[in-house]
């Protein structure tokens, strides 16, 4: 009887230590179950060749192609001492060259005869401006001529192409999968039978067999539909249980007092709130009035007035005796928020001080770099309750920080914080405080349902009246250097009109002092290092912007110097600020009308959109110039063109996500890390995710502990390993 590996059996037992080591280290596959869930990324057909024309976009990546040998010839060099085998392969649309050198030419020369069809795997390189694979691994796709039955069977089969790596080609992974495939019969189906049958989904065992060894394209489709549902449903069960647990927690209801601080603040506002701000505020106030903690995500375009909505929520909590804390990711942003909040509140932020309002409270700042006396005073104001509002960085999380009655935590730019940090601040309340999470990175609905599925979502998509449009243009510095010269002229023109400018660079420029190895590594590489703040500032002062006040701002400056530069820029004394992405969020200087982003191709789509939102915040129109040396046909330039073409952050976030994929939606891993979603694409599978969320909510309401669904409970435990369980617990 054949050996059927147990699902949790280490692959060493089934495949041997050498193969198991490569699978574990390179692809993160440790057990038979891991390997069963390592799905093919596409399928090649014997009668249909893989497009070689797509390889231009995959330079320096490992690829697998199916093609036919067109010709092969041995060339000599070094006076006949060196040998090189050049093989040209074709798929009917494109051609690609393979090269083999030295003693490695003989075997492929015998095997890769014209007309031979094979799978080839290697790293796409470039030589003499032509794409090539150097010393690729290959697997001929021909059965023994005498074995006609095998040949016929092979001809009709779909060939799975697996996500592979240099040490483990796709066809070797296929052989490993063959060894564990019998254990697919042991898998426990997580979907409730009624749900599976009601939606016409195949059983899990059948789906695994069909995804790895399909007979037809319909098999692949059946399997994919089923496996997508598994991922979406189990994930939504985890989030539904999290929402249910939150709804059971006690919290102090916080209702604003009539004629209190919030009413006094609203009465002195010099403008009317947008309809969106009013709607979102009502949603927040309704949540704050309940006996369970609010868990709400507030997402809004850059400049849509999120800070105003958050401040009104904070004032509502202070009105009924509670305190509110706002957590910001950087000192620059915390100082900026403190400045703008105290300005908006005026005398209402000076409670208990001479000239302050009777209805007022104190709004204090707490950061790591504050002097000891100021820090001690702020801590005292918090513990006595004299300060109703505190704005701070990670310093708020320290054990020494105690609150009189913490009622609301506002987290700005949530993606910059670990869950532990958010949790540490929330634990400072006598009862769980209400939580408002804000982000200016627009999140497509499906991502909100997966990544932030335990939070209710509010969206601000209207810009306040008086905000100006921002024109964005790509400046091709290498192809058209005169365009860059014109960009600096535009900066000068804006300054002469009385406005100000930002110049953003990807790097500070003092890294080599901190790490000399880094500089030499960059110098040895093909690509020049990213442009640096310190270098560009010097060039601008000496060249195109000579005579203007040009200052720098970056994360390694002394905090007092940072604050000084920011104050002088806000006051209009500094005309051009050359900065890193430290200005990406929250920095608000309405007089800034132009931004030049150097090496713009080195930033992500959403990040460029965030940066651009720093200009055009006043009545004068904004201008954003994306400077790049990348070739016009490159994917990087296509990305920049997309940013230039629209101001719709939601559209750009879709583009960004399509390019970067989803990352690990449950863990804190960023994109590029192997995702817990292998089959589900959050952008494309909106319908599946929405339906899975409904089904999951229903199942959890009916059976919160999943006692009647042991298969689902097992799948949930597998998804929520200890780390992810904690992630959801801390929320």
């Amino acid at each position: 009887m054949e050996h059927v590996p147990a699902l949790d059996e280490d692959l060493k037992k089934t495949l041997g230590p050498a193969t198991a080591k490569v699978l574990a280290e390179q692809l993160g596959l440790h057990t038979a179950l891991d390997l069963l869930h390592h799905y093919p990324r596409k399928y090649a057909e014997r009668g249909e060749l893989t497009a070689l024309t797509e390889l231009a976009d995959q330079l320096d990546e490992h690829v697998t192609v199916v093609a036919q040998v067109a010709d092969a010839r041995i060339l000599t060099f070094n006076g006949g001492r060196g040998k090189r085998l050049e093989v040209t392969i074709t798929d009917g649309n494109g051609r690609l060259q393979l090269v083999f050198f030295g003693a490695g030419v003989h075997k492929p020369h015998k095997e890769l005869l014209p007309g031979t069809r094979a799978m080839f795997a290697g790293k796409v390189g470039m030589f003499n401006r032509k794409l090539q694979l150097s010393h690729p691994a290959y697997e001929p796709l021909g059965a023994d001529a005498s074995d006609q039955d095998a040949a016929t069977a092979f001809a009709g089969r779909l060939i799975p192409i697996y996500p592979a790596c240099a040490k483990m080609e796709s066809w070797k992974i296929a052989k490993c999968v063959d060894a564990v495939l019998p254990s697919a019969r042991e898998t426990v189906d997580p979907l409730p039978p009624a749900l599976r049958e009601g939606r016409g989904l195949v059983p899990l065992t059948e789906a695994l067999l069909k995804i790895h060894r399909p007979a037809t394209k319909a098999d692949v489709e059946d399997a994919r539909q089923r496996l997508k549902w598994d991922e979406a449903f189990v994930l939504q069960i985890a989030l539904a249980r999290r929402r249910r647990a939150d709804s059971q927690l006690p919290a102090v209801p916080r209702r604003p007092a009539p004629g209190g601080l919030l009413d006094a603040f609203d009465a002195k506002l010099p403008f009317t709130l947008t309809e969106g701000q009013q709607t979102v505020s009502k949603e927040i106030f309704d949540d704050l009035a309940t006996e369970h903690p609010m868990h709400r995500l507030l997402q809004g375009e850059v400049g849509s007035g999120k800070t105003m909505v958050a401040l009104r929520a904070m004032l509502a909590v202070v009105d009924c005796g509670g305190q509110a804390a706002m957590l910001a990711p950087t000192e620059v942003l915390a100082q900026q928020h403190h400045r703008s909040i105290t300005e908006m509140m005026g005398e209402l932020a000076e409670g208990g001080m001479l000239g302050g309002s009777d209805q007022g409270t104190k709004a204090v700042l707490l950061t790591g770099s504050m002097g000891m006396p100021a820090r001690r005073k702020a801590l005292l104001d918090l513990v006595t309750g004299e300060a109703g509002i505190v704005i701070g960085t990670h310093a708020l999380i320290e054990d020494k920080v105690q609150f009189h009655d913490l009622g609301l935590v506002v987290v700005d730019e949530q993606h910059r914080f670990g869950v532990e940090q958010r949790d540490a601040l929330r634990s400072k309340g006598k009862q769980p405080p209400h939580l408002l999470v804000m982000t200016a990175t627009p999140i497509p609905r499906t991502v909100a349902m997966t990544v932030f599925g335990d939070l209710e979502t509010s969206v601000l998509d209207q810009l306040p009246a008086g905000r100006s449009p921002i024109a964005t243009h790509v400046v091709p510095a290498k192809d058209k250097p005169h365009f860059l010269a014109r960009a600096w002229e535009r900066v000068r023109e804006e300054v002469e009109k009385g406005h100000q400018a930002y110049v953003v660079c990807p790097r500070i420029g003092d890294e080599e002092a901190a790490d000399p190895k880094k500089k030499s590594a960059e110098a040895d590489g093909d690509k020049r290092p990213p442009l640096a703040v310190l270098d560009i500032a010097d060039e601008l002062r000496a060249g195109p912007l000579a005579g203007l006040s040009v200052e720098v701002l970056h994360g390694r400056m002394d905090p007092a110097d940072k604050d000084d530069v920011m104050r002088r820029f806000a006051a209009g004394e500094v005309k051009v600020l050359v900065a890193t992405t430290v200005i990406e969020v929250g920095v608000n200087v309405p007089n800034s009308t132009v931004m030049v982003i150097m090496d713009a191709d080195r930033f992500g789509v959403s990040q460029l959109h965030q940066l651009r939102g720093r200009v055009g915040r006043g009545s004068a129109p904004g201008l954003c110039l994306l400077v790049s040396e990348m070739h016009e046909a490159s994917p990087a330039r296509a990305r920049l063109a997309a940013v230039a073409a629209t101001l719709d952050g939601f559209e750009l976030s879709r583009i960004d996500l399509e390019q970067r994929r989803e990352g690990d939606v449950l863990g804190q891993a960023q994109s590029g890390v192997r995702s817990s979603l292998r089959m589900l694409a959050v952008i494309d599978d909106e319908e599946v995710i929405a339906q899975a969320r409904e089904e999951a909510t229903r199942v959890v309401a009916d059976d919160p502990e999943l006692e009647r669904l042991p298969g689902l409970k097992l799948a949930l435990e597998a998804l929520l390993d200890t780390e992810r369980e904690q992630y959801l617990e801390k929320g």
Side-chain angles (χ1 to χ4, degrees):
M1 190 180 145
E2 63 176 328
H3 167 65
V4 177
L7 291 170
D8 57 358
E9 189 169 290
D10 193 301
L11 290 171
K12 280 183 200 141
K13 287 189 183 173
T14 318
L15 306 173
T19 301
K21 186 172 186 239
V22 175
L23 290 172
E25 288 177 0
Q26 302 288 318
L27 297 167
L29 307 173
H30 303 276
T31 65
L33 190 63
D34 290 344
L35 195 46
L36 286 174
H37 287 299
H38 186 71
Y39 308 131
R41 60 187 174 82
K42 61 179 181 180
Y43 301 85
E45 293 176 82
R46 195 154 188 244
E48 168 226 349
L49 298 173
T50 310
L52 296 180
T53 47
E54 293 169 11
L55 295 183
D57 294 337
Q58 301 187 48
L59 201 59
D60 289 335
E61 287 184 25
H62 286 279
V63 297
T64 303
V65 296
V66 177
Q68 188 166 323
V69 177
D71 65 62
R73 57 202 178 121
I74 285 188
L75 305 172
T76 57
F77 54 93
N78 275 357
R81 290 194 300 278
K83 283 187 178 177
R84 180 169 84 242
L85 171 65
E86 289 186 357
V87 179
T88 306
I89 59 172
T90 178
D91 65 355
N93 295 316
R95 292 166 87 81
L96 179 68
Q97 193 169 64
L98 318 176
V99 290
F100 302 85
F101 294 98
V105 303
H106 302 297
K107 186 169 180 280
H109 192 220
K110 277 188 208 149
E111 293 177 343
L112 297 177
L113 301 171
T116 305
R117 182 170 302 213
M119 281 198 284
F120 301 92
K123 194 176 185 181
V124 182
M126 180 81 82
F127 181 69
N128 278 346
R129 307 188 72 169
K130 280 188 181 170
L131 293 174
Q132 67 171 29
L133 299 184
S134 181
H135 278 281
Y138 59 90
E139 176 91 337
L141 294 179
D144 188 313
S146 62
D147 191 351
Q148 288 304 313
D149 291 346
T152 310
F154 180 83
R157 207 181 81 207
L158 292 166
I159 305 161
I161 307 289
Y162 287 92
C165 60
K167 293 182 180 175
M168 183 69 66
E169 294 90 5
S170 171
W171 53 85
K172 288 184 184 168
I173 294 173
K175 286 172 183 168
C176 296
V177 169
D178 282 337
V180 301
L181 208 49
S183 61
R185 297 198 294 266
E186 310 299 315
T187 52
V188 182
D189 201 320
L191 292 191
L195 188 158
R196 185 167 56 73
E197 286 153 21
R199 296 197 172 270
L201 300 168
V202 299
L204 179 57
T205 298
E206 189 182 327
L208 289 169
L209 294 171
K210 282 181 168 177
I211 200 76
H212 289 292
R213 298 295 172 261
T216 63
K217 287 181 177 175
D219 281 356
V220 176
E221 197 41 49
D222 284 351
R224 280 195 167 144
Q225 248 344 82
R226 164 61 215 247
L227 295 167
K228 278 178 183 181
W229 253 94
D230 276 20
E231 287 179 7
F233 183 67
V234 176
L235 175 57
Q236 291 301 336
I237 285 283
L239 294 165
R241 292 184 74 202
R242 176 78 189 106
R243 287 194 300 275
R244 190 178 182 283
D246 284 342
S247 71
Q248 311 292 309
L249 290 172
V252 178
R254 309 280 180 175
R255 297 182 185 87
L261 183 56
L262 178 62
D263 284 351
F265 175 75
D266 284 348
K268 68 193 282 300
L269 278 181
F271 52 82
T272 311
L273 295 176
T274 65
E275 199 178 315
Q277 284 174 318
Q278 290 173 21
T279 306
V280 170
S281 289
K282 183 180 183 314
E283 290 170 351
I284 291 170
F285 291 151
D286 288 350
D287 282 358
L288 290 173
T290 64
E291 294 182 354
H292 304 292
M294 166 173 80
H295 288 90
R296 188 166 284 280
L297 170 70
L298 170 56
Q299 52 168 321
E301 277 287 11
V302 174
S304 57
K306 292 183 300 300
T307 308
M308 173 60 71
V309 169
L311 175 56
R312 293 183 73 243
M314 291 161 88
L315 295 174
V317 168
V318 175
D319 246 355
C320 51
Q323 290 169 293
M326 180 185 265
L327 185 59
T330 64
E331 293 213 353
V332 167
L333 189 51
Q335 288 160 348
Q336 175 84 35
H337 275 319
H338 182 251
R339 226 178 353 258
S340 61
I341 281 173
T342 49
E343 279 167 15
M344 283 193 274
M345 287 176 66
E347 73 281 1
L348 295 174
E350 297 168 357
M353 292 154 77
L354 203 60
S357 161
D358 293 343
Q359 292 168 308
T361 185
K362 265 192 194 174
V364 300
L365 177 69
L366 189 64
T367 66
S369 66
M370 282 169 69
M372 217 44 226
R375 188 181 173 78
R376 213 173 276 129
K377 180 80 179 83
L379 291 172
L380 188 64
D381 285 345
L382 286 177
V383 77
T384 59
E386 199 156 314
I389 292 175
V390 59
I391 296 111
T393 55
H394 303 79
L396 282 176
I397 294 161
E398 291 168 12
D399 291 344
K400 290 180 199 147
V401 181
Q402 300 293 323
F403 289 85
H404 178 65
D405 179 15
L406 180 61
L408 171 66
V409 172
V410 179
V411 180
D412 193 22
E413 289 309 319
Q414 111 78 27
H415 61 282
R416 305 287 191 94
F417 288 99
V419 177
E420 291 76 14
Q421 294 159 322
R422 240 167 45 190
D423 188 53
L425 186 51
R426 281 171 59 188
S427 68
K428 291 181 182 290
K430 293 185 178 75
Q431 280 196 330
H434 299 280
L435 175 70
L436 179 64
V437 167
M438 301 199 298
T439 178
T441 306
I443 302 163
R445 176 171 167 258
T446 43
V447 184
M449 283 193 291
T450 47
V451 184
F452 299 104
D454 57 334
L455 300 172
E456 298 300 325
T457 304
S458 295
V459 178
L460 273 177
D461 49 13
Q462 274 179 300
L463 290 186
R467 285 298 296 269
S468 306
I470 305 167
T472 308
H473 302 285
V474 179
V475 177
K478 207 168 194 172
D479 309 344
K480 299 177 180 171
H482 59 287
F483 275 38
L484 182 57
R486 176 69 189 122
W488 300 127
E489 283 172 17
R490 285 290 290 114
V491 170
R492 197 175 264 285
E493 286 163 14
E494 286 300 309
V495 171
E496 281 165 3
K497 286 184 202 165
H499 299 307
Q500 289 159 276
Y502 295 102
V503 178
V504 181
C505 303
R507 199 166 62 104
I508 296 171
D510 58 0
E511 292 85 351
E512 49 272 21
D515 186 359
K517 283 183 204 157
K518 190 169 177 185
K519 190 182 184 187
S520 60
E522 280 174 339
D524 293 344
D526 300 338
K527 222 173 173 189
R528 65 157 172 76
L531 294 172
V533 166
L534 301 177
D535 301 338
I536 293 293
D538 288 345
E539 283 173 30
L540 294 176
R541 287 185 191 116
L545 302 185
L548 302 183
S549 57
V550 176
E551 294 273 4
V552 300
L553 182 71
H554 59 76
R556 278 213 283 274
M557 285 167 64
D558 180 88
D561 294 342
K562 271 193 282 200
D563 198 37
D564 177 55
V565 169
M566 219 37 243
R567 272 181 198 285
R568 288 189 294 119
F569 187 63
E573 295 164 30
V574 174
K575 298 302 178 190
V576 180
L577 189 63
V578 184
T580 55
T581 54
V582 72
I583 58 143
E584 181 185 346
V585 287
V587 173
N588 183 24
V589 180
N591 192 41
S592 301
T593 54
V594 60
M595 175 178 284
V596 182
I597 304 178
M598 308 302 290
D599 277 349
D601 47 90
R602 306 219 183 204
F603 299 97
V605 169
S606 292
Q607 198 173 27
L608 290 169
H609 181 59
Q610 286 286 311
L611 286 164
R612 164 172 68 182
R614 301 300 112 215
V615 295
R617 298 176 79 85
S619 53
L623 173 66
C624 178
L625 302 173
L626 307 173
V627 179
S628 172
E629 291 187 358
M630 296 303 277
H631 189 271
E632 193 171 1
S634 66
R637 278 285 292 277
R639 246 187 13 243
L640 298 184
V643 175
T646 180
L647 288 170
D648 182 341
F650 286 91
E651 177 56 31
L652 288 173
S653 68
R654 284 184 80 92
I655 293 167
D656 196 21
L657 201 66
E658 279 163 4
Q659 289 175 340
R660 297 184 303 120
R661 302 322 296 165
E662 293 84 10
D664 190 329
V665 299
L666 269 190
Q668 290 151 294
Q670 294 304 304
S671 59
V673 175
R674 269 182 82 252
S675 171
S676 58
L677 301 184
R678 294 177 180 86
M679 189 60 75
L680 193 74
V682 296
I683 284 289
D684 305 328
D685 297 317
E686 181 163 343
E687 207 173 304
V688 173
I689 291 168
Q691 291 170 359
R693 183 179 165 106
E694 278 174 35
E695 293 276 13
T697 306
R698 199 175 305 133
V699 165
V700 168
D702 182 48
D703 182 7
E705 297 306 314
L706 309 179
E707 299 295 349
R708 299 193 294 281
L709 298 165
L712 179 55
K713 201 169 187 175
L714 269 174
L716 191 64
E717 283 161 9
L719 175 75
L720 300 178
D721 53 32
T722 319
E723 187 185 335
R724 291 198 182 115
E725 183 70 76
Q726 286 169 351
Y727 179 92
L728 279 183
E729 279 306 310
K730 290 174 177 173

